[in-house]
Amino acid sequence: MWVLALWLGWILVAWVADGHAACQVEGSLSKAGGALVKKLSSDCSQAERELHAVDGASILESLKTGQPVDLTGVIVRGDVDFGRLSVQTVGGGTRIRSDQPEQTGTEEVRLVRGPVTIRESVVLGPLRHRSSTGTLQFEGPVDFHGTTFKDGVDLSRSLFQGSVELTEAVFQKEAYFVQGRFMEGLRCQGTKFGPHTRFHRSRFHGAVDCTGALFDGMAEWLEVTFEQPAVFERARFGSGTGFSGSQFRRPVAFLDTIFSRDSFFTFSVFEEAAVFAGAQFLGPVDFSDADFKKPDDLARARFDQPPMLTRTRRVIQEQPADDLSTYLRRYGLTALLLLVSAGLVGYILKSK
């Protein structure tokens, strides 16, 4: 019996040891103002994540000194208020960097010099930059892949010099990116947006890919400029949706997209191909005063109610003109058939 007990005890000890070893923690909280790196493996329990939680103030301390933030699988407690970063005043007609759009007038700029990565994590407090006049400038990439934001996110008036990754992120409350400037585009594939999403008057210099995204509440893409292709394929807009006044300077795809309620494309300009094949408009949709510079395929979309097309400018697809060879082939074949028919009639009459 003692042999069996010893064996069972060894198994129990090994199981407990393996259980503790399963949670891998890479990096550690650095001294104030240093790089902030912490990565927890997917095997970590909720209790272990609580134990290694990161405070929002620690994130700001690293950002203030231009250090990177690299977090994966963590819990972030407290708010992350970018308004606490130091302010640089920029005079009219000057630039912080040579590749930055020129500032107009005197403007307050808050700089985030290092890359910001918060992946597969849970952010409990708000993430915000609440300034009606200043700009928040991210000089490196921003990566929130797979992160759940329990509170609101407001990064309005932000300039993103690097790529912005929101793929599979979850915004349980509002997500505001009003007057944002995205120099290298936006990826929001499979992202779940909450009760209110705003990209009002934003400008995208890179491609936008929101394939399979869910906009559960109001989604505002008003007066947005898309300099590169935009993809909303298989996205779902669960509430009111507005693209009014937006300019699509490259192709845009709403392939198999579902618009559950009111949708507005008034005064929108489509300079290249606009694909709506398979899209479903389950509520009213208004294309009044929209301008399609290329032939559209609205006929391939499903409308539960007739779309409003008041003063909508559309290009009629013209049939290509036949060239001389096509003309000769077509009418040569017709002439041959007539000759054969005449011969058959003559043969029948002669045989009688």
Side-chain angles (χ1 to χ4, degrees):
M1 289 293 295
W2 67 270
V3 176
L4 178 60
L6 182 62
W7 181 71
L8 291 175
W10 179 83
I11 291 178
L12 179 61
V13 171
W15 178 77
V16 172
D18 287 343
H20 284 288
C23 180
Q24 302 294 325
V25 180
E26 176 185 341
S28 62
L29 295 178
S30 63
K31 297 180 180 180
L36 177 57
V37 179
K38 178 160 284 193
K39 300 180 181 181
L40 275 64
S41 67
S42 59
D43 299 317
C44 294
S45 65
Q46 180 66 20
E48 290 166 325
R49 297 185 193 281
E50 292 282 355
L51 180 63
H52 293 281
V54 176
D55 190 75
S58 300
I59 295 176
L60 289 175
E61 286 300 319
S62 293
L63 296 180
K64 284 178 181 179
T65 57
Q67 298 299 313
V69 171
D70 190 358
L71 305 174
T72 300
V74 305
I75 294 174
V76 178
R77 293 188 180 135
D79 64 337
V80 181
D81 188 355
F82 291 98
R84 298 175 184 172
L85 297 177
S86 59
V87 174
Q88 297 189 27
T89 302
V90 179
T94 61
R95 294 179 172 88
I96 293 289
R97 286 174 48 175
S98 60
D99 56 350
Q100 177 185 336
E102 186 171 304
Q103 308 287 347
T104 57
T106 301
E107 186 175 17
E108 294 181 348
V109 176
R110 292 177 172 86
L111 294 178
V112 178
R113 298 188 183 277
V116 179
T117 300
I118 308 177
R119 292 175 61 95
E120 309 294 341
S121 299
V122 177
V123 180
L124 300 178
L127 186 82
R128 60 194 178 191
H129 169 242
R130 295 179 177 176
S131 175
S132 59
T133 58
T135 296
L136 176 64
Q137 179 172 323
F138 293 88
E139 295 194 343
V142 175
D143 186 353
F144 295 147
H145 185 287
T147 291
T148 297
F149 296 91
K150 295 284 189 179
D151 211 320
V153 173
D154 188 351
L155 294 179
S156 297
R157 296 185 58 84
S158 291
L159 169 61
F160 299 95
Q161 295 279 8
S163 60
V164 178
E165 176 66 73
L166 302 181
T167 295
E168 296 183 357
V170 178
F171 297 88
Q172 294 187 353
K173 292 189 177 180
E174 69 274 5
Y176 294 163
F177 298 88
V178 178
Q179 291 183 281
R181 286 173 286 175
F182 298 78
M183 305 307 292
E184 294 189 12
L186 168 69
R187 284 169 53 89
C188 49
Q189 298 173 337
T191 305
K192 296 180 180 179
F193 293 94
H196 198 181
T197 304
R198 300 187 68 195
F199 285 91
H200 183 205
R201 297 185 67 186
S202 289
R203 193 180 195 97
F204 295 93
H205 296 268
V208 175
D209 189 350
C210 289
T211 300
L214 171 62
F215 297 87
D216 195 42
M218 182 77 70
E220 297 182 29
W221 295 80
L222 306 172
E223 300 179 78
V224 174
T225 301
F226 298 89
E227 301 281 359
Q228 298 297 327
V231 179
F232 294 91
E233 183 176 343
R234 300 191 310 278
R236 176 155 191 158
F237 294 90
S239 190
T241 307
F243 285 88
S244 294
S246 292
Q247 295 187 33
F248 300 89
R249 295 182 175 174
R250 300 298 297 273
V252 57
F254 291 100
L255 186 69
D256 296 325
T257 302
I258 297 176
F259 299 86
S260 298
R261 300 183 65 178
D262 302 50
S263 304
F264 299 90
F265 291 86
T266 58
F267 294 97
S268 295
V269 178
F270 302 88
E271 297 188 10
E272 296 291 340
V275 179
F276 288 90
Q280 300 180 48
F281 292 90
L282 308 182
V285 56
D286 192 350
F287 285 96
S288 295
D289 296 292
D291 188 359
F292 291 88
K293 303 290 188 180
K294 298 291 178 67
D296 62 76
D297 65 347
L298 292 178
R300 300 175 63 188
R302 166 191 162 187
F303 297 93
D304 281 8
Q305 302 179 32
M308 294 184 64
L309 299 170
T310 306
R311 296 180 300 278
T312 304
R313 292 177 290 277
R314 305 172 70 184
V315 176
I316 299 176
Q317 182 74 52
E318 297 182 357
Q319 296 296 329
D322 293 334
D323 57 20
L324 181 60
S325 60
T326 303
Y327 178 86
L328 293 176
R329 285 197 300 271
R330 178 181 300 172
Y331 289 97
L333 179 60
T334 302
L336 178 62
L337 291 175
L338 288 174
L339 289 174
V340 171
S341 299
L344 289 173
V345 171
Y347 175 78
I348 292 172
L349 292 175
K350 189 175 181 179
S351 63
K352 291 181 177 181

